[in-house]
Amino acid sequence: MAETTGPTTPVALVEEVYGRYPERVAVGRRRLGRPLTYAEKVLFAHAEDPHTIGLERGVDYADYRPDRVAMQDATAQMALLQFMTAGLPRVAVPTTVHCDHLIQARVGAEIDLKNAVDANSEVYEFLRTVSSKYGIGFWKPGSGIIHQVVLEQYAFPGGMMLGTDSHTPNAGGLGMVAIGVGGADAVDVMAGWPFNTKVPKVIGVHLKGGLSGWTAPKDVILKVAGILTVKGGTGAIVEYFGPGCESISATGKATICNMGAEIGATCSMFPYDDRSAMYLKATEREEIADLANEYARHLRIDPEVEEEPERFYDRVVEIDLDQLEPHLVGPHTPDLDRPVSEVRGAAETEGYPPEISYALVGSCTNSSYEDIGRAAHVARQAKTAGLTVRSPLLITPGSEQVRATIERDGLLEDLEAIGASVLANACGPCIGQWKRDDIEMGDRNTIVTSYNRNFPRRNDGNAETLAFIGSPETVVGMALTGRIDVDFVHDGVPGPDGEAVHLEPPVADELPAKGFDPGDAGFQPPARDSGTVDVVVHPGSERLELLEPFAAWNGADLTGLRVLLKAVGKCTTDHISPAGPWLRYRGHLTNISQNLFTGVSNAFADGHGNGVDTRDGSVKPLPDLAREYKEAGIEWVAIGDENYGEGSSREHAAMEPRYMGGRAIIVRSFARIHEANLKKQGVLALTLADPADYEKFRADDTVDVVGLAELAPGKPVTVVAHHADGSRDEIRTTHTMSEEHIEWFRAGSALNVLRQQS
Ligand code: MIC
Ligand code: SF4
């Protein structure tokens, strides 16, 4: 049991983990009869039992023991409300909470932070006390974005962690298996249970050559996203290898791993190298670097794998960094990739508004010292040439440590000198926490960001905002031209006198020469005596609500279910349970359920978020329809398309349907975290055996899900759609439920099982 959770990973923990490597890696090699990828070594080192753990990648389920758990404020509320009901005294593994998602960008860092503290005081107080009581470390608002803080303080090569945020894989930049999960998965581990998941496949990305010029780490992942697409990484760990790795800083590697979430990967990771050691030293973890050096041969792939990658990876992708150009992806999806040099043509053909209304640098994926340094180098050159930004430029530093350091080193000043504004150390516009006054809802406009997501409505709630993603230096270059149809890399930036100004490729220190300035760090350790801490959830609160258990399965087949909706095309968690203003209700299931499916395009009703009440044919907002069905005791299913639930780890997207009477979600394919979240909440997550059967569901069907008494791993489930004209279709679906997952369905949710057993 964890003593207590501190502000950094104790060396003893790392030592204990490394101590297991030699024997466990040997067991892995022996059992598999072959050399190992790096991901496999980390997984064997964290297996519940390396001698019996399932071996078949993409097939077997396995139990792992992660070293730590991290949660951000928007997901921690629901996770901790669940943990509280388990009746346990303390968390069983080191765990931290980070306050970053609830800060709205409006005026600038200081005022925005103060406003957030006022506006969210009830939630912050809940998170602070609940953390203190259960042995969890608490990072207060303003301390930074979870993934940056984790990289700076907690990540270590060869470790394994879970985080209730899909960009948790950021820590893969330091060689960690860091997996984004829903709150219920985190609750298991905090409760002392293993993390159960399918043994991941392993995709190898072979990096040849080296990064240089305008090409940044971001461009590597934008390219990979273009190759693998938003579902190409599903069920797989993406492991980078080859000589190109050493040309990328640790924080650059983290950028690449962070955005691996956008291709659906379980996580991404880089091998341990000198750049990792440098980063560990710069962040005052020299002892961990020394230990990692001692175990270095385990913290990378076996040499045989490097020689013949095709034999050992499920798929190999090759990227020649010498040839890689700066890229820009979007709009609306992170896998629509183009070199910056081709954006002009695309803007003309596709009719994207060429003027950039805003340029934004930062977010958990691109806000390191090096990122800001490269952006600042571009800014300095621009200033010398007499340029200022032609589009407003907003900067969000990733952590208080980065902010204090870039301020001390004058980098913020460089950016401000060309007209940039600095926002609080938080997610801000990346998660729709952005109050823009320059446009009306519905105005079509273009923004460029160095963020990781660009789904419609994501940043400002406006479906007509087209968001493009590039590296920080690309975003600053574009802010200078103010247009996406100017190739600033090759053609330069129009200068004050009309002559083109040619900017030199950015150069910056990857780590601060004078060391990091911690700033006002903001860590609060948990109480030693939890008995002294009261956790208050006010009964009438609109922000927090204690959870009632979902009802257990009554043993009968599900019959007469209505089809609440049939989602057409992309249906991300931002469509199912949008963020932005709704982040306010992340601790209140009843209130947040009023956003259910509001972003979805439904085959049966026009616009977004509408559905047909099959009782009288009227069209109404989906949350209202779901609530009316619930009140009338009518249960329902939702039908989805490919990669349903892509995006966030927010389990609200699974809890809300469950709470509102949804019993099954039937789709062409699922995104990993969302499928796991549905199963945890006792919702049947069913995949159409024949994707064409999607067409068979009609608005006025009633649906049965039959044979549930014989529900078994690997056994298809029959869904019967009864059409209004009296005809019917029997549709075969598959599922990924193990015995344990079936138990959750029967009990009503995984939490109900935990409650019974604890
Ligand atoms: C996101 O980037 O979408 C978020 C907001 O960080 C989410 C978590 C959440 O919805 O709270 C994620 O990526 O998991
Ligand atoms: Fe925050 Fe955006 Fe990163 Fe999500 S992707 S953790 S919202 S900065």
Side-chain angles (χ1 to χ4, degrees):
M1 166 139 340
E3 252 284 278
T4 186
T5 303
T8 184
T9 293
V11 179
L13 188 155
V14 180
E15 211 161 6
E16 192 273 316
V17 173
Y18 287 175
R20 292 184 229 144
Y21 264 82
E23 193 210 325
R24 283 173 166 242
V25 167
V27 172
R29 286 204 195 100
R30 195 175 61 240
R31 289 190 61 207
L32 284 162
R34 59 167 171 79
L36 301 182
T37 65
Y38 178 31
E40 287 169 320
K41 295 184 188 180
V42 183
L43 292 173
F44 268 103
H46 291 85
E48 170 89 345
D49 180 354
H51 300 280
T52 57
I53 195 162
L55 295 179
E56 207 177 332
R57 302 200 295 222
V59 177
D60 291 334
Y61 273 86
D63 282 340
Y64 299 102
R65 293 276 173 189
D67 305 315
R68 62 183 321 117
V69 172
M71 297 180 284
Q72 41 88 344
D73 49 4
T75 49
Q77 297 171 60
M78 205 46 98
L80 290 169
L81 285 164
Q82 295 177 74
F83 183 79
M84 280 166 67
T85 70
L88 295 162
R90 274 177 100 74
V91 289
V93 299
T95 301
T96 48
V97 164
H98 303 258
C99 296
D100 54 1
H101 279 61
L102 302 179
I103 303 170
Q104 192 183 46
R106 200 169 182 167
V107 192
E110 211 169 306
I111 299 177
D112 292 348
L113 179 59
K114 195 177 159 310
N115 288 341
V117 171
D118 290 345
N120 303 308
S121 60
E122 182 187 1
V123 171
Y124 290 147
E125 194 48 19
F126 167 73
L127 291 173
R128 196 182 61 76
T129 50
V130 89
S131 299
S132 184
K133 190 172 186 69
Y134 293 109
I136 299 169
F138 177 76
W139 288 84
K140 69 179 192 193
S143 55
I145 307 175
I146 177 169
H147 311 302
Q148 280 298 325
V149 176
V150 165
L151 194 72
E152 288 166 3
Q153 311 289 341
Y154 296 116
F156 63 94
M160 178 172 185
M161 68 175 287
L162 299 187
T164 59
D165 189 281
S166 63
H167 294 103
T168 303
N170 193 68
L174 265 188
M176 214 174 184
V177 167
I179 303 182
V181 294
D185 270 313
V187 168
D188 282 353
V189 174
M190 291 190 282
W193 288 21
F195 168 57
N196 180 270
T197 193
K198 212 178 244 182
V199 179
K201 296 188 193 154
V202 191
I203 297 176
V205 179
H206 187 184
L207 297 183
K208 299 204 284 201
L211 274 189
S212 64
W214 281 97
T215 309
K218 183 74 153 200
D219 300 307
V220 177
I221 185 61
L222 298 184
K223 179 78 188 166
V224 170
I227 297 171
L228 289 176
T229 79
V230 289
K231 45 183 288 210
T234 308
I237 293 185
V238 178
E239 182 173 303
Y240 291 80
F241 68 99
C245 295
E246 298 218 19
S247 72
I248 306 173
S249 65
T251 50
K253 291 177 171 105
T255 295
I256 296 172
C257 294
N258 175 301
M259 235 192 121
E262 270 52 69
I263 53 169
T266 300
C267 68
S268 305
M269 59 199 305
F270 275 85
Y272 175 70
D273 63 16
D274 289 349
R275 308 288 283 262
S276 334
M278 274 168 62
Y279 185 75
L280 284 168
K281 285 182 194 155
T283 48
E284 292 178 16
R285 292 174 291 170
E286 184 146 9
E287 277 179 90
I288 296 184
D290 292 343
L291 274 175
N293 287 337
E294 211 178 295
Y295 286 87
R297 71 179 190 290
H298 295 305
L299 304 175
R300 56 190 340 277
I301 50 174
D302 279 338
E304 298 89 329
V305 179
E306 183 131 21
E307 274 153 33
E308 288 183 283
E310 281 77 14
R311 277 187 59 200
F312 304 107
Y313 287 114
D314 292 288
R315 177 169 177 187
V316 178
V317 174
E318 288 216 342
I319 295 184
D320 184 350
L321 299 180
D322 291 335
Q323 304 295 324
L324 188 65
E325 284 186 61
H327 275 58
L328 195 74
V329 300
H332 298 329
T333 185
D335 55 0
L336 184 53
D337 73 312
R338 312 182 174 91
V340 167
S341 55
E342 288 173 20
V343 175
R344 177 185 305 151
E348 278 161 16
T349 343
E350 306 294 331
Y352 305 140
E355 303 82 21
I356 299 169
S357 62
Y358 261 102
L360 304 104
V361 168
S363 96
C364 60
T365 180
N366 269 115
S367 51
S368 64
Y369 184 80
E370 183 185 36
D371 284 334
I372 305 292
R374 286 172 67 94
H377 181 235
V378 177
R380 275 199 299 280
Q381 297 180 54
K383 188 179 167 213
T384 311
L387 292 167
T388 52
V389 285
R390 291 187 168 91
S391 314
L393 173 63
L394 303 181
I395 314 280
T396 40
S399 69
E400 170 59 8
Q401 175 157 294
V402 165
R403 189 209 56 75
T405 313
I406 57 180
E407 178 161 51
R408 182 199 64 195
D409 294 353
L411 304 180
L412 278 186
E413 213 179 302
D414 291 333
L415 288 158
E416 282 168 339
I418 57 160
S421 313
V422 181
L423 305 176
N425 314 324
C427 302
C430 177
I431 188 57
Q433 291 279 46
W434 183 21
K435 180 95 182 49
R436 294 182 74 165
D437 299 321
D438 62 314
I439 53 154
E440 298 288 323
M441 277 297 162
D443 285 355
R444 203 168 149 81
N445 73 107
T446 292
I447 63 173
V448 291
T449 81
S450 75
Y451 302 169
N452 41 28
R453 297 227 163 112
N454 56 356
F455 307 142
R457 293 196 177 82
R458 166 102 181 163
N459 304 112
D460 58 7
N462 178 10
E464 292 301 318
T465 294
L466 310 189
F468 294 83
I469 301 174
S471 69
E473 46 266 54
T474 295
V475 172
V476 174
M478 291 196 151
L480 290 168
T481 66
R483 301 179 67 91
I484 50 166
D485 59 354
V486 176
D487 177 358
F488 71 94
V489 175
H490 299 99
D491 302 341
V493 179
D497 53 3
E499 284 287 298
V501 175
H502 286 276
L503 302 166
E504 292 296 318
V507 186
D509 288 343
E510 81 184 74
L511 291 162
K514 287 187 255 165
F516 278 108
D517 175 346
D520 174 15
F523 176 78
Q524 181 197 288
R528 290 240 155 235
D529 174 6
S530 60
T532 58
V533 186
D534 283 332
V535 179
V536 184
V537 174
H538 297 291
S541 166
E542 60 152 16
R543 307 268 320 246
L544 296 166
E545 176 185 53
L546 294 173
L547 290 170
E548 293 293 329
F550 293 130
W553 178 53
N554 67 4
D557 282 343
L558 304 175
T559 53
L561 307 172
R562 304 293 167 104
V563 182
L564 185 74
L565 69 122
K566 176 151 87 173
V568 184
K570 217 181 204 11
C571 184
T572 71
T573 45
D574 280 300
H575 295 80
I576 304 169
S577 173
W582 291 98
L583 287 172
R584 194 173 166 73
Y585 301 116
R586 284 290 187 85
H588 198 297
L589 185 54
T590 307
N591 287 348
I592 199 163
S593 294
Q594 293 313 311
N595 76 357
L596 179 61
F597 292 128
T598 40
V600 174
S601 147
N602 177 7
F604 306 139
D606 289 340
H608 287 279
N610 294 321
V612 182
D613 187 334
T614 53
R615 296 170 299 183
D616 59 11
S618 61
V619 173
K620 43 185 79 151
L622 283 163
D624 295 349
L625 179 57
R627 196 184 52 249
E628 287 175 29
Y629 279 172
K630 177 181 161 91
E631 280 162 8
I634 297 172
E635 296 183 318
W636 47 266
V637 297
I639 314 299
D641 214 319
E642 295 288 357
N643 210 23
Y644 178 89
E646 167 185 350
S648 161
S649 66
R650 61 189 78 143
E651 61 194 330
H652 306 76
M655 292 177 93
E656 294 176 30
R658 174 74 167 107
Y659 175 68
M660 297 289 251
R663 301 306 303 271
I665 308 287
I666 307 168
V667 303
R668 284 182 156 144
S669 64
F670 279 110
R672 173 189 63 90
I673 307 180
H674 187 62
E675 181 179 24
N677 287 346
L678 287 168
K679 291 193 283 186
K680 282 271 174 191
Q681 301 301 338
V683 180
L684 289 172
L686 303 175
T687 303
L688 297 163
D690 177 358
D693 285 347
Y694 168 91
E695 304 297 346
K696 293 189 175 149
F697 293 95
R698 305 182 196 164
D700 46 8
D701 286 350
T702 58
V703 170
D704 302 339
V705 184
V706 300
L708 291 178
E710 290 86 46
L711 199 56
K715 187 166 180 263
V717 169
T718 303
V719 170
V720 188
H722 301 272
H723 307 304
D725 61 9
S727 65
R728 50 180 252 158
D729 277 301
E730 268 199 24
I731 294 166
R732 222 167 79 105
T733 67
T734 59
H735 63 84
T736 58
M737 278 183 281
S738 63
E739 289 292 356
E740 191 188 2
H741 304 165
I742 292 170
E743 201 39 50
W744 301 339
F745 168 71
R746 294 200 183 109
S749 70
L751 188 59
N752 289 351
V753 176
L754 180 67
R755 279 195 190 106
Q756 287 158 12
Q757 299 186 358
S758 67

